[in-house]
Amino acid sequence: MLATSPRLGEVVEATSAAFTVQCYDLYGAPPLGALVRTGKGSPVYGVVRNVVTSSMDPGRRPVARGQDEADEEAVYRSNPQLSSLLRTDFQATIVGYQDGEQLRHYLPSQPPRIHAFVQACAPAEVRAFTERLDFLPLLLAGAVPLADEVVAAFLRQAASAHEDPQAFLTLAGRQMARLLSRDLQRLNAILGSLRA
């Protein structure tokens, strides 16, 4: 099931519920809501929930450099050191792992290893992972900022990997209606974002 795709970066921090990846390329993070995998043997799957570009040195903020430049690209051409002084990281919420031939839609017993390689999942892998929606409670329970936007972004992307995107979104909407039956305002906000 695992397709070969380019490495995005490496795990630099991991917990039982999430991991942080430092990208190899500045601005090389996948989009919000993308499904990524890390590790070999029993890969762990995560959904991108936050992307941050910042200074390599946490004590030094980037300063404006483009006042006399024609465009943003000129700033980087005039200051080639920027790609070594800045970094792009992303955090991913763990939504499952592979156990032999089985996909498990719950947290693994151990978080990913530090320096484990991270890859974006190909559409066939996204489709296989989302054939069952048992991972939704992990995404919906996340106490991260804008968690509902992450859920909607993931479902929109996952729908495009299915032969009938609308049928997938309808099924996901029904599952969320069961999970969020006591929070109709939140449910309506997510469903509204799915139509966007």
Side-chain angles (χ1 to χ4, degrees):
M1 179 176 107
L2 299 180
T4 304
S5 57
R7 293 178 187 162
L8 298 168
E10 297 175 26
V11 174
V12 293
E13 184 177 332
T15 69
S16 296
F19 54 92
T20 301
V21 178
Q22 182 176 345
C23 296
Y24 292 135
D25 296 326
L26 187 61
Y27 306 117
L32 187 72
L35 185 67
V36 297
R37 108 177 91 72
T38 185
K40 57 183 182 175
S42 293
V44 173
Y45 291 89
V47 173
V48 175
R49 70 175 190 210
N50 190 33
V51 179
V52 178
T53 300
S54 61
S55 173
M56 284 283 215
D57 180 355
R60 296 185 70 181
R61 284 184 55 180
V63 296
R65 297 175 182 266
Q67 182 175 359
D68 298 323
E69 300 292 353
D71 57 33
E72 293 173 16
E73 298 306 318
V75 174
Y76 288 91
R77 284 192 301 274
S78 297
N79 300 279
Q81 75 280 10
L82 289 178
S83 61
S84 298
L85 297 174
L86 301 173
R87 68 190 250 182
T88 298
D89 294 348
F90 67 87
Q91 290 87 36
T93 298
I94 296 174
V95 291
Y97 67 101
Q98 188 167 350
D99 182 15
E101 295 298 314
Q102 294 288 325
L103 283 172
R104 306 291 183 191
H105 292 107
Y106 47 85
L107 297 178
S109 59
Q110 293 290 320
R113 295 174 60 155
I114 300 297
H115 296 296
F117 300 134
V118 178
Q119 297 172 302
C121 294
E125 197 171 357
V126 173
R127 186 172 50 254
F129 188 84
T130 57
E131 283 179 1
R132 289 188 4 253
L133 299 171
D134 302 342
F135 58 85
L136 279 175
L138 291 172
L139 276 181
L140 291 168
V144 297
L146 304 174
D148 294 348
E149 289 297 322
V150 173
V151 172
F154 173 68
L155 291 174
R156 284 192 307 267
Q157 291 177 49
S160 67
H162 287 264
E163 287 182 29
D164 187 347
Q166 193 57 46
F168 171 79
L169 289 175
T170 300
L171 182 64
R174 287 183 182 142
Q175 180 73 12
M176 284 189 300
R178 283 192 290 277
L179 294 169
L180 298 174
S181 63
R182 295 177 187 229
D183 193 347
L184 293 180
Q185 184 175 1
R186 184 176 182 201
L187 174 63
N188 287 331
I190 295 172
L191 293 177
S193 293
L194 287 178
R195 289 188 288 270

